[in-house]
Protein backbone atom coordinates (compact mmCIF):
# COMPACT_ATOMS: atom_id res chain seq x y z
CA UNK A 1 0.00 0.00 0.00
CA UNK A 2 2.91 2.36 0.69
CA UNK A 3 4.11 1.98 -2.91
CA UNK A 4 0.74 3.10 -4.27
CA UNK A 5 0.80 6.17 -2.02
CA UNK A 6 4.34 7.04 -3.13
CA UNK A 7 3.40 6.59 -6.79
CA UNK A 8 0.36 8.83 -6.40
CA UNK A 9 2.45 11.47 -4.65
CA UNK A 10 5.03 11.43 -7.45
CA UNK A 11 2.29 11.75 -10.05
CA UNK A 12 0.79 14.77 -8.24
CA UNK A 13 4.20 16.47 -8.10
CA UNK A 14 4.63 16.20 -11.87
CA UNK A 15 4.85 19.70 -13.28
CA UNK A 16 3.91 20.90 -16.71
CA UNK A 17 5.86 23.61 -18.45
CA UNK A 18 4.59 26.19 -20.91
CA UNK A 19 7.55 27.39 -22.93
CA UNK A 20 8.43 29.80 -25.70
CA UNK A 21 11.41 29.15 -27.95
CA UNK A 22 12.93 31.41 -30.53
CA UNK A 23 13.67 29.68 -33.82
CA UNK A 24 16.71 30.32 -36.01
CA UNK A 25 14.58 32.52 -38.30
CA UNK A 26 13.56 34.71 -35.34
CA UNK A 27 10.01 33.36 -35.10
CA UNK A 28 8.55 32.29 -31.75
CA UNK A 29 7.04 28.89 -30.97
CA UNK A 30 4.95 28.16 -27.86
CA UNK A 31 4.31 24.68 -26.49
CA UNK A 32 3.87 22.58 -23.36
CA UNK A 33 5.74 19.60 -21.96
CA UNK A 34 6.35 17.70 -18.75
CA UNK A 35 10.07 17.31 -19.53
CA UNK A 36 11.56 20.57 -20.81
CA UNK A 37 15.18 19.47 -21.33
CA UNK A 38 14.06 16.44 -23.34
CA UNK A 39 11.63 18.54 -25.40
CA UNK A 40 14.30 21.10 -26.29
CA UNK A 41 16.62 18.31 -27.46
CA UNK A 42 13.76 16.91 -29.55
CA UNK A 43 13.15 20.33 -31.15
CA UNK A 44 16.83 20.66 -32.05
CA UNK A 45 16.89 17.12 -33.45
CA UNK A 46 13.93 17.88 -35.72
CA UNK A 47 11.50 15.71 -33.73
CA UNK A 48 9.85 18.40 -31.58
CA UNK A 49 7.20 19.94 -33.81
CA UNK A 50 6.54 20.32 -37.52
CA UNK A 51 6.86 24.09 -37.13
CA UNK A 52 10.32 24.03 -35.57
CA UNK A 53 11.82 21.25 -37.69
CA UNK A 54 12.91 23.52 -40.60
CA UNK A 55 13.68 26.41 -38.20
CA UNK A 56 16.39 24.82 -36.08
CA UNK A 57 18.16 25.43 -33.81
CA UNK A 58 15.80 26.81 -31.17
CA UNK A 59 16.64 28.74 -28.01
CA UNK A 60 14.51 28.76 -24.88
CA UNK A 61 13.26 32.28 -24.18
CA UNK A 62 10.51 31.79 -21.59
CA UNK A 63 9.14 29.05 -19.32
CA UNK A 64 6.27 28.92 -16.83
CA UNK A 65 5.37 25.97 -14.61
CA UNK A 66 1.81 24.72 -14.06
CA UNK A 67 0.54 21.93 -11.81
CA UNK A 68 -1.80 20.30 -14.33
CA UNK A 69 -1.81 19.65 -18.05
CA UNK A 70 -5.14 21.47 -18.30
CA UNK A 71 -3.69 24.59 -16.71
CA UNK A 72 -0.68 24.41 -19.02
CA UNK A 73 -2.90 24.07 -22.08
CA UNK A 74 -4.93 27.12 -21.04
CA UNK A 75 -1.80 29.19 -20.54
CA UNK A 76 -0.37 27.98 -23.85
CA UNK A 77 -3.54 29.11 -25.63
CA UNK A 78 -3.36 32.49 -23.89
CA UNK A 79 0.26 33.00 -24.94
CA UNK A 80 -0.45 31.91 -28.51
CA UNK A 81 -3.21 34.52 -28.67
CA UNK A 82 -0.73 37.31 -27.86
CA UNK A 83 0.77 39.45 -30.58
CA UNK A 84 4.47 39.09 -31.30
CA UNK A 85 5.12 42.37 -29.46
CA UNK A 86 3.21 41.10 -26.42
CA UNK A 87 5.17 37.82 -26.47
CA UNK A 88 8.44 39.73 -26.61
CA UNK A 89 7.28 41.84 -23.65
CA UNK A 90 6.47 38.63 -21.75
CA UNK A 91 9.94 37.27 -22.52
CA UNK A 92 11.52 40.54 -21.39
CA UNK A 93 9.79 40.27 -17.98
CA UNK A 94 12.18 37.51 -16.84
CA UNK A 95 12.17 37.43 -13.09
Amino acid sequence: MVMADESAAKKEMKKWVVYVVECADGSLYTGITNNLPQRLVAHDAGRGAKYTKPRRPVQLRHAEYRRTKGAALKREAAIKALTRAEKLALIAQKV
Side-chain angles (χ1 to χ4, degrees), residues 27-90:
S27 63
L28 300 172
Y29 174 82
T30 303
I32 70 164
T33 184
N34 59 6
N35 187 332
L36 187 56
Q38 181 179 337
R39 187 67 172 161
L40 294 174
V41 168
H43 279 301
D44 280 337
R47 295 177 279 113
K50 286 182 184 180
Y51 182 84
T52 59
K53 186 175 183 177
R55 296 171 172 86
R56 296 176 285 162
V58 301
Q59 291 186 329
L60 181 65
R61 295 295 183 213
H62 181 76
E64 298 178 13
Y65 293 87
R66 296 291 185 260
R67 284 186 159 183
T68 65
K69 184 177 182 179
L73 287 167
K74 285 181 184 178
R75 182 60 178 149
E76 176 191 27
I79 292 174
K80 285 183 174 184
L82 298 176
T83 65
R84 178 175 173 80
E86 290 169 332
K87 290 176 188 175
L88 292 173
L90 177 67

